[in-house]
Amino acid sequence: PLGESVVLARAYAGVANLHLTAFRGSDAYSLARRARDMARRLGAADVEAQACRIMGTVLAAGADPERGKALLRWGAEQAAAAGDPFEGSVGYGNLVNACIKDADWAAGEQAARAGLVFCRDRGMKSREGWIASRLAEIYRLTGRRRQRGSSRPGWSPRRPAGSLPARRRWWCL
């Protein structure tokens, strides 16, 4: 009744994120697209970045991994430009996870390193740790455990080599 607004676009993106965490991809995607379109028209770059992260996560999980990774990369960069460090760090983390799922090790490592720099520059230690754990997972899955261990002496894996969970819920809040 009151028309388009940044608050409404943000609400759409928030509900889309709830659908994402509840594994309702099509609902998440449609609401995120609606939020992105409205945010674009209103110039709300931070909301647009969040919506692109949600859309990218859904696409990377199934229908179109390459387009999903492109949206995640763009969303992380857009969030950084909009001054939203949390959204940027989540975008980088989800991009790394999408690359792991797609077995795109080089792109995953590149995204993880970019995400680590992003988080370090903003003092986001908890997010930095999360992205570092994803980089460690890339090293483990590609058999480069020693390279990973060189940056963290005394590190030992929690899971035995070669074991992976049957179903990996890889997107995060």
Side-chain angles (χ1 to χ4, degrees), residues 28-60:
Y29 186 87
S30 63
L31 274 173
R33 188 176 60 214
R34 197 173 196 183
R36 182 203 61 190
D37 293 345
M38 189 180 296
R40 250 185 212 161
R41 285 191 296 272
L42 298 171
D46 60 328
V47 178
E48 186 178 358
Q50 181 183 13
C52 284
R53 187 227 345 131
I54 294 165
M55 292 168 56
T57 300
V58 170
L59 289 174

Side-chain angles (χ1 to χ4, degrees), residues 17-158:
N17 202 50
L18 290 173
H19 284 299
L20 180 67
T21 57
F23 297 97
R24 292 192 296 262
S26 62
D27 295 333
Y29 186 87
S30 63
L31 274 173
R33 188 176 60 214
R34 197 173 196 183
R36 182 203 61 190
D37 293 345
M38 189 180 296
R40 250 185 212 161
R41 285 191 296 272
L42 298 171
D46 60 328
V47 178
E48 186 178 358
Q50 181 183 13
C52 284
R53 187 227 345 131
I54 294 165
M55 292 168 56
T57 300
V58 170
L59 289 174
D64 191 351
E66 290 305 314
R67 185 166 167 237
K69 288 188 286 187
L71 274 171
L72 286 166
R73 187 174 295 108
W74 186 87
E77 292 167 358
Q78 180 72 8
D84 189 347
F86 179 78
E87 187 60 44
S89 67
V90 174
Y92 278 115
N94 285 7
L95 175 58
V96 174
N97 286 334
C99 292
I100 290 172
K101 182 182 179 296
D102 207 26
D104 189 352
W105 309 120
E109 185 173 348
Q110 182 182 17
R113 292 188 183 284
L116 287 171
V117 169
F118 178 86
C119 291
R120 268 189 207 125
D121 289 351
R122 288 155 182 82
M124 302 176 72
K125 297 209 180 286
S126 66
R127 287 283 146 192
E128 182 181 344
W130 173 58
I131 293 174
S133 76
R134 306 318 300 140
L135 181 59
E137 184 76 354
I138 290 170
Y139 289 157
R140 186 184 74 76
L141 292 170
T142 58
R144 297 185 292 159
R145 185 170 285 165
R146 290 191 181 170
Q147 183 175 349
R148 176 187 59 196
S150 65
S151 64
R152 294 180 64 188
W155 188 89
S156 64
R158 291 190 179 116

